[in-house]
Amino acid sequence: LNKNPSYASVTSLDRRSLQSEDPAKKHTSVVVDMQKLSDHADVFKEKDVAFCTLGTTRKDAGSAEAFRAVDLHLVYDFAKLCKDNGVSDFHLLTSQGADAKSWFLYPQTKGEIEQKVKELKFARLGIFQPGLLMRGESARLVEKLGGLILPKMPVETLGAAMAVAGTKTGPAVQVFTNSQIHNLGRST
């Protein structure tokens, strides 16, 4: 986003202070307690586009309930604050295979959040369903092994695709599959 000239300013909500490559000096990092997002409602005002990449794993969260607290409830709280404060264009990262009717926790939760965010009726909603995210050195062993057989996505490609999608017009709800994300991310 910092490198895309279509964005005049970028505000990120972060759990801790982040250093970002920002030659144009248009990025503002706001450190927030994610459990108290509503305390920062003023940050959402006068924003046109929002991107939500918030998520965790069951292992990192410690339990299924804690995983859902982040990937369902915190994501929904963020989306609702965006909607309530006039954001018209919302872009949500979920996952390939997201399905609210799945028997498995991860795709079920991702499918549920897609449904809940759709119900908010943003003027434009982009849902990104990449395959396995390739996170370089921070990848876990299971991700490295999974990358040998599963469709995968470099996080840089995903970020570029989301940034491009936020500048385009399109249908009210648009779902981007792994291959569509690759194509869009390479168009920059």
Side-chain angles (χ1 to χ4, degrees), residues 26-79:
K26 64 182 182 179
H27 178 246
T28 302
S29 174
V30 180
V31 178
V32 301
D33 178 344
M34 292 295 178
Q35 303 299 324
K36 298 178 182 176
L37 277 178
S38 61
D39 290 353
H40 302 278
D42 59 311
V43 174
F44 295 83
K45 294 187 186 323
E46 299 180 17
K47 303 295 188 272
D48 303 314
V49 182
F51 299 89
C52 184
T53 59
L54 182 63
T56 188
T57 65
R58 181 180 176 159
K59 181 179 178 183
D60 284 350
S63 69
E65 295 77 23
F67 166 76
R68 287 178 58 80
V70 173
D71 280 49
L72 182 62
H73 304 297
L74 279 180
V75 170
Y76 181 77
D77 291 347
F78 176 75

Side-chain angles (χ1 to χ4, degrees), residues 129-145:
Q129 299 178 334
L132 186 65
L133 292 177
M134 296 168 44
R135 300 180 305 130
E137 296 300 316
S138 63
R140 297 170 185 86
L141 177 61
V142 71
E143 292 170 332
K144 290 176 183 175
L145 294 174

Side-chain angles (χ1 to χ4, degrees), residues 68-127:
R68 287 178 58 80
V70 173
D71 280 49
L72 182 62
H73 304 297
L74 279 180
V75 170
Y76 181 77
D77 291 347
F78 176 75
K80 182 86 167 77
L81 279 167
C82 288
K83 179 66 176 176
D84 291 347
N85 285 282
V87 172
S88 60
D89 195 338
F90 192 82
H91 297 271
L92 174 65
L93 173 62
T94 63
S95 175
Q96 182 174 316
D99 180 358
K101 295 178 182 167
S102 175
W103 289 23
F104 299 100
L105 177 68
Y106 190 84
Q108 178 188 66
T109 304
K110 296 298 186 180
E112 287 178 37
I113 193 56
E114 287 182 1
Q115 287 180 343
K116 287 178 71 89
V117 172
K118 284 178 186 176
E119 291 168 5
L120 292 174
K121 305 271 188 227
F122 282 95
R124 183 142 191 279
L125 172 61
I127 297 174

